[in-house]
Amino acid sequence: MCPCGSGKPYDQCCGPFHRGANPPTAEHLMRARYCAFTREDCDFLLRTWDPRIRPDSLTFDNAITWTHLEIVKSVKGQQSDYMGMVHFRAHYLTPQGPGVQEERSRFVRQEGGSPWIYVD
């Protein structure tokens, strides 16, 4: 199953996005980015990050095991929108115990159907 929690197999869910397909909604991109963190897919994460603010590189903390993603709320971010927000909780385990990273992430895309990108 896909780590994003959709209930679909990876190859029918986030896999195509990681291989180059464009996620149709901001929530799809959020799920694919979470999945990319679980798979340590730097290329996808950097490609889908606003180029004006993305880091030059990423490193992963091997002490963190991502356990599941919880989507709290999505606002806009549909195929006809140009902005979207996804409120999520990413649950993880460390040697010190469980934890949660909670964010309200903002996504944008340009008119004309350009791909969604993560802003902040």
Side-chain angles (χ1 to χ4, degrees), residues 26-34 69 71 86 88 105 107:
E27 183 175 325
H28 279 97
L29 178 55
M30 177 64 245
R31 289 180 175 278
R33 286 180 58 82
Y34 169 82
L69 176 66
I71 301 294
V86 180
F88 71 92
S105 294
F107 299 87

Side-chain angles (χ1 to χ4, degrees), residues 49-56 106 118-120:
W49 208 318
D50 185 332
R52 296 170 296 172
I53 58 173
R54 77 175 161 230
D56 292 330
R106 190 167 52 111
Y118 166 72
V119 178
D120 54 22

Side-chain angles (χ1 to χ4, degrees), residues 7-120:
K8 298 177 185 176
Y10 170 75
D11 284 336
Q12 295 174 14
C13 190
C14 293
F17 305 138
H18 293 170
R19 292 188 298 273
N22 291 327
T25 68
E27 183 175 325
H28 279 97
L29 178 55
M30 177 64 245
R31 289 180 175 278
R33 286 180 58 82
Y34 169 82
C35 183
F37 272 102
T38 70
R39 300 171 64 88
E40 298 186 357
D41 185 343
C42 286
D43 291 339
F44 178 80
L45 291 166
L46 293 172
R47 183 175 74 238
T48 59
W49 208 318
D50 185 332
R52 296 170 296 172
I53 58 173
R54 77 175 161 230
D56 292 330
S57 64
L58 294 174
T59 57
F60 295 96
D61 185 345
N62 292 332
I64 294 176
T65 301
W66 298 101
T67 59
H68 67 282
L69 176 66
E70 175 187 356
I71 301 294
V72 177
K73 183 177 183 177
S74 290
V75 177
K76 296 197 175 193
Q78 299 303 306
Q79 290 178 321
S80 60
D81 296 321
Y82 297 102
M83 294 179 70
M85 185 277 300
V86 180
H87 178 188
F88 71 92
R89 294 182 188 115
H91 298 260
Y92 60 87
L93 289 174
T94 69
Q96 293 75 35
V100 177
Q101 178 178 333
E102 184 168 357
E103 291 184 19
R104 287 172 181 82
S105 294
R106 190 167 52 111
F107 299 87
V108 298
R109 67 186 192 139
Q110 303 298 313
E111 291 187 41
S114 66
W116 285 101
I117 57 171
Y118 166 72
V119 178
D120 54 22

